[in-house]
Amino acid sequence: MSNKPSIPKGTRDFSPIEMARRNYIFDTIKKVYKKYGFQQIETPAMENLNTLIGTGGDESDTLIFKILNSGDYLKKADEKALNDKDSNGLTRSIAEKALHYDLTVPFARYVVQNQNDITFPFRRFQIQPVWRADRPQKGRYREFYQCDADIIGSNSLLNEVDLIKIIDDVFSELFQGKLNYKVSFNNRKILAGIAESFGVEERLEEMTVIIDKLDKIWIDGVVKELEKKSFSTEISLFIRELITNSNPFDLLKHKFINSEIGLKGIEELEYIRTTINQIGLINKNVIFDPTLARGLGYYTGTIIEVKVENFPSICGGGRYDDLTGKFGLKDVSGVGISFGADRIYDVLLDNNLYPKFEGDSTQVLFTNQTGNDEEVFLPMLFKLRDAGINAEIYPDEVKWKRQMNYASKKNIEYIVSSNFDGELFVKKSDNQDKIQFKTAEELITLIQK
Amino acid sequence: MSNKPSIPKGTRDFSPIEMARRNYIFDTIKKVYKKYGFQQIETPAMENLNTLIGTGGDESDTLIFKILNSGDYLKKADEKALNDKDSNGLTRSIAEKALHYDLTVPFARYVVQNQNDITFPFRRFQIQPVWRADRPQKGRYREFYQCDADIIGSNSLLNEVDLIKIIDDVFSELFQGKLNYKVSFNNRKILAGIAESFGVEERLEEMTVIIDKLDKIWIDGVVKELEKKSFSTEISLFIRELITNSNPFDLLKHKFINSEIGLKGIEELEYIRTTINQIGLINKNVIFDPTLARGLGYYTGTIIEVKVENFPSICGGGRYDDLTGKFGLKDVSGVGISFGADRIYDVLLDNNLYPKFEGDSTQVLFTNQTGNDEEVFLPMLFKLRDAGINAEIYPDEVKWKRQMNYASKKNIEYIVSSNFDGELFVKKSDNQDKIQFKTAEELITLIQK
């Protein structure tokens, strides 16, 4: 094989500068998570297929990358499926493992498996890649990172408040006040209350999925779809009113007179609204949006979503009441958020919001020219490194121009050289003047000042 | 499914304390790599199967986890293999992607694919999990982390010196002088010289594989195996002499009078030996071992291995002359090392060498007892976090004992409480005395002093 090599569709390599930017995002999120008492865990990339299948709905199942069993896998293959060439039917018998497609299901599995060692409420964060056999397109990858924080084993709405504040801390730091973002929150119980008030409780999920499209097809599209699916005109009118009304809380309260779940939703929302005001969260950034729906099936309480202009959601989350039930641990409530690192990456890049990553790369290059450089510079080089300065020597005696090109491409700030009289010089890349020095200690002082 | 969930054999979850320890290892290695001018990259977990197959020898191929194609994968399946139930023959037609089993092959692929954007010599590091369908056993996992650094595009032996010094820096820091480690180095050209001197050049790889077993089957075992494979008694005798001779350099020089490659190996080794002495590397830690072989096929020059007592190799590497040749880029020499993070993890644990990870977890817990706590403590909590202190409030008003149990399990240092008179107190977990305070600022001062 001597064709130019490539990588699978929807996957990416990350170059040094891309890594520096990504690490900046991860480190910022990680620092904030820790400040809020979250502890990091990691789960394997591979889970048993049984753990993943059937959690996120049928659509998710087809998005799961399955791993072929090792060895003579056809020996245990389902005979009938093999003869029928039934790919779907065959899969489970030849692929027992799969790559996780989110961090929520592995977390639920982890909690149940380690329930005797975990002290609840458990505040965990997890930053790992996930894999989805989605059709790749701009901004949608088959391998991408999620940065999740969840609190499991506590019903308190203080957890919601913490998570909203975390979102605000992270984006305050990443956007440095130069980019607006909107944190919307709602409660699934509001949607349940609407469904109940209009006598369509049993169609809640269907209704939620349609309302979830508001961003894409706007209110007219939603109304059209609601009517096409034979929801009553009253519902459509109410949704339309809800969007335009300046005081949706009152409108909902009035509507929920006979809906216990709706009123519970209002109560929860009001607690959150009051508390985030109390801790000084800027109101124009964090707003109640009664039509926020979020597609995922497992949410049962608060839902949260963060947007900036011209981008899809960059962070989202919510409360779920039974995520661990599938694995045999019932009635454990949790709430969590997930930052989409790849979209945040693009947002920062498009808005020119990355800091300079100077300390991250080499600071000092010792050039290699005169035949004596290696002997003179090597002990100095190691002294600089011991002093915590990122430094290197050009390993080969090649043309000056090539060494300078290397320094420039790597953004190296200081260039150290010698002349044939054995005099030593250091030059800052953005400055014409060479400064003469004699010892490593002098050089360190010059650089650190 | 309500059976207790599990994870695939040979994979692991990492709990918060395990993560703290792992991050400590990664961060130490990362810091040293950066000090030496290495830049981080990442490659996808999935590569095209074609990229991985046939690089590490046939044995490696069976160790590769293949990913089943998405959708109706049987549609493109090899008919004949399917009918013959030939698992091996079928694989390529139903699995085009696979998980990388090391970081070296993806790196070679990356270099070739991005050769026009890379400034050589390219010093890159890469810390990522790799996957191997190996039989799981103690200390051997199917998913584990490698921490690689390579310099590609430079023949200079200064690179070898840098890598040996990196090894010394990393283990000096991790072991804090409390544990001995041995850095052995050799050169594949020495082995080639031996083969040439005894007229068995064409059996070099076979001979190398046998000598590589010295650690496991000792010299008697090696001699037996050499003789079984019809290598001459002279070779066996020479190997035996080499091990026991106190001056193997002289022995080899004498032997290599007619072996150009052997003499080249000697020359390279002597340069490295002189230079690492010059920069003050402690000689008893870093030693020339003429029988060090290292199994991997692609090494052609220097080879390096690090050991501590009672453990298999914790770090290894070497120079390779044609890693990118497979992908169409010929004659590019590289040299690299790889730290085995999982083994280092065990070594540090067994020898009780981890520092305390205090700042890593929550420092302050606000208790939640009196009904007023939430209102009083919430604004303080956020002030503490703004001051960079990791803090949380217990989210539910539950029994004191349960809150204290939570604090103790999470190793939280400071407990903040109130009484029904509204007085506020902070108590250090290792101290009986409560200290009264009034404001968040007072509390911050108490904690930070």
Side-chain angles (χ1 to χ4, degrees):
Chain A
M1 169 181 160
S2 64
N3 293 331
K4 202 166 179 203
S6 63
I7 48 177
K9 264 187 305 180
T11 69
R12 292 160 294 167
D13 287 321
F14 298 109
S15 70
I17 178 66
E18 289 164 338
M19 282 304 296
R21 291 185 195 129
R22 290 166 63 81
N23 284 334
Y24 167 67
I25 296 170
F26 294 141
D27 290 346
T28 303
I29 294 171
K30 210 167 151 171
K31 192 184 66 189
V32 174
Y33 280 162
K34 282 186 178 183
K35 226 163 61 177
Y36 284 72
F38 287 79
Q39 298 182 301
Q40 191 174 14
I41 69 159
E42 264 182 33
T43 60
M46 304 193 271
E47 295 276 348
N48 291 321
L49 187 53
N50 275 337
T51 301
L52 302 180
I53 282 276
T55 338
D58 284 349
E59 202 200 345
S60 296
D61 289 356
T62 67
L63 296 183
I64 297 174
F65 279 115
K66 286 99 183 169
I67 295 163
L68 200 56
N69 291 345
S70 307
D72 188 7
Y73 55 89
L74 286 176
K75 222 168 146 184
K76 285 192 192 166
D78 184 306
E79 284 289 341
K80 186 171 176 314
L82 206 57
N83 291 333
D84 296 352
K85 287 198 149 204
D86 168 12
S87 295
N88 263 336
L90 185 66
T91 303
R92 271 162 184 265
S93 66
I94 63 170
E96 285 160 14
K97 293 180 288 294
L99 296 173
H100 60 228
Y101 64 90
D102 73 3
L103 302 177
T104 312
V105 174
F107 174 56
R109 192 267 311 144
Y110 176 93
V111 166
V112 176
Q113 200 175 328
N114 298 284
Q115 54 184 292
N116 298 323
D117 302 319
I118 292 172
T119 318
F120 295 97
F122 183 39
R123 298 164 86 83
R124 88 85 173 79
F125 77 89
Q126 198 169 345
I127 299 181
Q128 288 187 253
V130 302
W131 294 269
R132 292 189 190 167
D134 228 332
R135 198 151 22 136
Q137 57 185 62
K138 189 181 175 307
R140 193 199 277 165
Y141 305 104
R142 293 185 148 187
E143 172 175 313
F144 59 98
Y145 269 74
Q146 291 192 333
C147 312
D148 284 20
D150 289 79
I151 303 130
I152 196 159
S154 160
N155 294 310
S156 167
L157 296 167
L158 277 180
N159 299 310
E160 269 88 338
V161 173
D162 258 5
L163 293 173
I164 291 172
K165 186 71 165 70
I166 283 176
I167 289 171
D168 194 63
D169 280 9
V170 166
F171 290 119
S172 294
E173 184 159 344
L174 289 177
F175 296 164
Q176 308 156 59
K178 293 174 188 160
L179 184 68
N180 290 326
Y181 54 97
K182 198 178 83 179
V183 184
S184 311
F185 64 96
N186 191 15
N187 195 306
R188 275 285 169 89
K189 296 190 178 85
I190 297 294
L191 299 167
I194 294 173
E196 194 177 52
S197 305
F198 289 95
V200 287
E201 300 93 302
E202 77 293 341
R203 297 182 67 191
L204 170 60
E205 206 171 315
E206 208 184 333
M207 187 189 86
T208 304
V209 169
I210 299 174
I211 294 178
D212 193 35
K213 297 182 185 167
L214 251 176
D215 259 10
K216 284 175 202 143
I217 60 176
W218 306 96
I219 179 65
D220 290 340
V222 167
V223 166
K224 201 176 283 173
E225 200 161 326
L226 282 171
E227 282 168 4
K228 200 174 111 198
K229 291 276 169 70
S230 324
F231 283 93
S232 68
T233 315
E234 284 74 24
I235 296 191
S236 302
L237 284 173
F238 184 75
I239 303 286
R240 198 184 281 276
E241 195 183 345
L242 204 52
I243 290 178
T244 47
N245 195 299
S246 65
N247 197 341
F249 265 101
D250 282 352
L251 185 68
L252 288 165
K253 258 191 225 172
H254 186 75
K255 175 57 73 186
F256 290 161
I257 284 178
N258 293 314
S259 167
E260 198 184 330
I261 193 164
L263 287 174
K264 179 85 180 124
I266 291 284
E267 187 193 322
E268 293 184 10
L269 283 168
E270 286 195 324
Y271 173 88
I272 292 174
R273 204 167 59 151
T274 310
T275 316
I276 61 177
N277 273 335
Q278 188 194 343
I279 60 170
L281 267 187
I282 314 140
N283 221 347
K284 74 170 166 115
N285 268 4
V286 184
I287 48 174
F288 166 56
D289 175 356
T291 59
L292 178 67
R294 288 191 68 72
L296 282 169
Y298 51 70
Y299 292 128
T300 49
T302 309
I303 43 181
I304 305 168
E305 192 169 79
V306 187
K307 291 208 161 177
V308 297
E309 224 171 324
N310 300 324
F311 278 91
S313 155
I314 52 175
C315 178
R319 182 171 284 276
Y320 41 84
D321 278 338
D322 193 32
L323 210 58
T324 55
K326 184 196 174 206
F327 303 115
L329 183 65
K330 299 279 179 204
D331 300 323
V332 179
S333 184
V335 58
I337 52 171
S338 180
F339 287 93
D342 296 87
R343 285 186 185 162
I344 295 172
Y345 182 99
D346 292 341
V347 169
L348 294 179
L349 198 64
D350 279 15
N351 290 279
N352 202 17
L353 286 171
Y354 286 107
K356 283 193 179 173
F357 298 106
E358 277 163 355
D360 205 65
S361 174
T362 301
Q363 296 165 268
V364 181
L365 179 71
F366 289 88
T367 54
N368 198 339
Q369 276 274 298
T370 65
N372 280 328
D373 283 343
E374 199 180 307
E375 206 182 320
V376 175
F377 285 150
L378 220 45
M380 290 192 174
L381 170 64
F382 285 99
K383 281 188 186 163
L384 258 70
R385 287 171 176 164
D386 283 344
I389 296 167
N390 300 350
E392 52 183 297
I393 184 167
Y394 199 93
D396 306 275
E397 270 187 47
V398 295
K399 281 193 187 137
W400 181 252
K401 203 176 153 188
R402 206 163 127 199
Q403 299 190 35
M404 286 308 99
N405 181 43
Y406 178 82
S408 142
K409 283 274 176 60
K410 244 182 139 170
N411 278 317
I412 300 179
E413 213 181 338
Y414 294 93
I415 310 293
V416 176
S417 60
S418 72
N419 63 19
F420 287 94
D421 297 327
E423 293 170 322
L424 312 180
F425 299 96
V426 60
K427 183 182 163 308
K428 229 182 146 175
S429 58
D430 58 358
N431 195 314
Q432 286 302 323
D433 301 328
K434 285 202 267 186
I435 302 176
Q436 202 179 341
F437 72 95
K438 291 210 162 66
T439 65
E441 289 69 26
E442 265 182 71
L443 181 59
I444 292 169
T445 313
L446 280 168
I447 288 162
Q448 284 179 337
K449 80 169 176 196
Chain B
M1 174 183 160
S2 64
N3 294 330
K4 207 173 174 198
S6 62
I7 47 178
K9 264 187 302 178
T11 70
R12 291 160 296 166
D13 287 320
F14 298 108
S15 69
I17 179 67
E18 288 163 338
M19 283 305 297
R21 292 185 194 128
R22 290 167 64 83
N23 284 333
Y24 166 69
I25 296 170
F26 294 141
D27 290 346
T28 303
I29 294 171
K30 209 167 153 174
K31 191 184 68 191
V32 175
Y33 280 161
K34 284 187 176 180
K35 226 163 63 178
Y36 283 71
F38 288 80
Q39 297 182 303
Q40 189 172 15
I41 68 159
E42 265 183 32
T43 60
M46 303 194 271
E47 295 275 349
N48 291 321
L49 187 53
N50 275 338
T51 301
L52 302 180
I53 282 278
T55 338
D58 285 347
E59 203 201 342
S60 296
D61 290 355
T62 67
L63 296 184
I64 297 175
F65 280 115
K66 287 99 183 169
I67 294 163
L68 199 56
N69 292 346
S70 305
D72 188 8
Y73 55 89
L74 285 176
K75 218 167 149 186
K76 286 190 190 168
D78 185 306
E79 285 288 342
K80 187 172 176 311
L82 206 56
N83 291 333
D84 297 352
K85 286 199 148 200
D86 169 10
S87 295
N88 263 337
L90 184 65
T91 303
R92 271 163 183 264
S93 65
I94 62 170
E96 284 162 14
K97 293 180 287 296
L99 295 173
H100 60 226
Y101 65 90
D102 72 2
L103 302 177
T104 311
V105 175
F107 174 56
R109 191 266 311 145
Y110 176 95
V111 166
V112 177
Q113 200 176 328
N114 299 284
Q115 54 185 293
N116 298 325
D117 301 316
I118 293 172
T119 319
F120 295 97
F122 183 40
R123 299 163 86 83
R124 88 83 173 79
F125 77 90
Q126 200 169 345
I127 299 181
Q128 288 186 253
V130 304
W131 293 268
R132 289 188 192 168
D134 229 332
R135 196 151 23 135
Q137 56 186 61
K138 193 186 172 306
R140 193 199 279 165
Y141 305 103
R142 292 185 148 188
E143 172 174 313
F144 59 97
Y145 269 74
Q146 289 192 332
C147 312
D148 283 22
D150 288 79
I151 302 128
I152 197 157
S154 161
N155 295 309
S156 168
L157 294 167
L158 277 181
N159 299 311
E160 269 88 336
V161 173
D162 258 4
L163 292 174
I164 292 173
K165 186 70 165 70
I166 282 176
I167 290 171
D168 195 62
D169 280 9
V170 166
F171 290 120
S172 294
E173 184 160 343
L174 290 178
F175 297 164
Q176 308 154 59
K178 292 175 188 160
L179 184 69
N180 291 323
Y181 54 96
K182 199 177 83 180
V183 184
S184 309
F185 64 96
N186 191 17
N187 195 307
R188 274 284 169 89
K189 298 190 176 85
I190 296 293
L191 299 167
I194 294 173
E196 192 175 57
S197 305
F198 288 97
V200 289
E201 299 93 305
E202 76 293 339
R203 297 184 66 192
L204 170 60
E205 204 172 317
E206 205 184 336
M207 187 188 86
T208 304
V209 169
I210 299 174
I211 294 178
D212 193 36
K213 297 181 186 169
L214 249 177
D215 259 9
K216 283 177 201 141
I217 61 175
W218 305 98
I219 179 65
D220 290 340
V222 167
V223 166
K224 200 176 285 172
E225 199 159 328
L226 283 168
E227 282 168 3
K228 202 176 109 197
K229 292 275 169 70
S230 323
F231 284 94
S232 71
T233 315
E234 285 74 23
I235 294 192
S236 301
L237 282 172
F238 182 75
I239 301 287
R240 197 185 281 277
E241 198 183 342
L242 203 54
I243 290 177
T244 47
N245 197 300
S246 64
N247 196 340
F249 265 101
D250 283 353
L251 184 68
L252 287 165
K253 259 190 222 173
H254 186 78
K255 175 58 69 185
F256 290 160
I257 283 176
N258 293 313
S259 166
E260 198 185 326
I261 191 164
L263 287 173
K264 178 83 179 124
I266 291 284
E267 188 192 320
E268 294 184 8
L269 283 167
E270 284 194 323
Y271 173 87
I272 292 174
R273 204 165 59 151
T274 310
T275 315
I276 61 176
N277 273 336
Q278 187 193 341
I279 60 168
L281 266 190
I282 314 140
N283 222 345
K284 71 168 167 120
N285 268 5
V286 184
I287 49 172
F288 166 56
D289 174 357
T291 60
L292 178 67
R294 290 192 64 76
L296 282 170
Y298 50 71
Y299 292 128
T300 50
T302 310
I303 42 180
I304 305 168
E305 191 168 81
V306 188
K307 289 205 162 180
V308 296
E309 224 170 323
N310 301 323
F311 278 92
S313 154
I314 52 175
C315 177
R319 183 172 284 276
Y320 42 85
D321 278 339
D322 194 31
L323 210 59
T324 54
K326 183 196 175 207
F327 304 115
L329 183 66
K330 300 277 180 207
D331 300 322
V332 179
S333 185
V335 58
I337 52 171
S338 179
F339 287 93
D342 295 87
R343 285 184 185 164
I344 294 172
Y345 182 98
D346 292 342
V347 170
L348 294 180
L349 197 63
D350 279 14
N351 290 280
N352 202 15
L353 286 171
Y354 285 106
K356 282 193 182 174
F357 299 107
E358 276 161 358
D360 205 63
S361 174
T362 301
Q363 294 164 269
V364 181
L365 178 71
F366 289 87
T367 55
N368 198 339
Q369 275 274 299
T370 65
N372 280 326
D373 283 343
E374 201 182 302
E375 204 183 321
V376 174
F377 286 152
L378 220 48
M380 292 193 172
L381 170 64
F382 286 99
K383 281 189 185 163
L384 258 71
R385 287 171 176 162
D386 283 345
I389 296 168
N390 302 350
E392 51 183 296
I393 184 166
Y394 199 94
D396 305 274
E397 269 188 47
V398 296
K399 280 194 187 137
W400 181 252
K401 206 179 151 185
R402 207 164 127 200
Q403 300 190 34
M404 287 307 99
N405 180 43
Y406 177 82
S408 140
K409 284 273 177 60
K410 244 180 140 174
N411 277 316
I412 300 179
E413 216 182 336
Y414 294 93
I415 310 292
V416 176
S417 59
S418 73
N419 63 18
F420 286 94
D421 298 328
E423 294 171 320
L424 311 180
F425 299 96
V426 59
K427 184 184 164 306
K428 230 181 145 177
S429 59
D430 59 358
N431 196 315
Q432 285 302 322
D433 301 329
K434 286 201 267 187
I435 302 176
Q436 203 180 337
F437 72 95
K438 290 210 165 65
T439 65
E441 290 68 27
E442 265 182 72
L443 181 59
I444 292 169
T445 313
L446 280 168
I447 288 161
Q448 285 179 336
K449 81 168 177 201

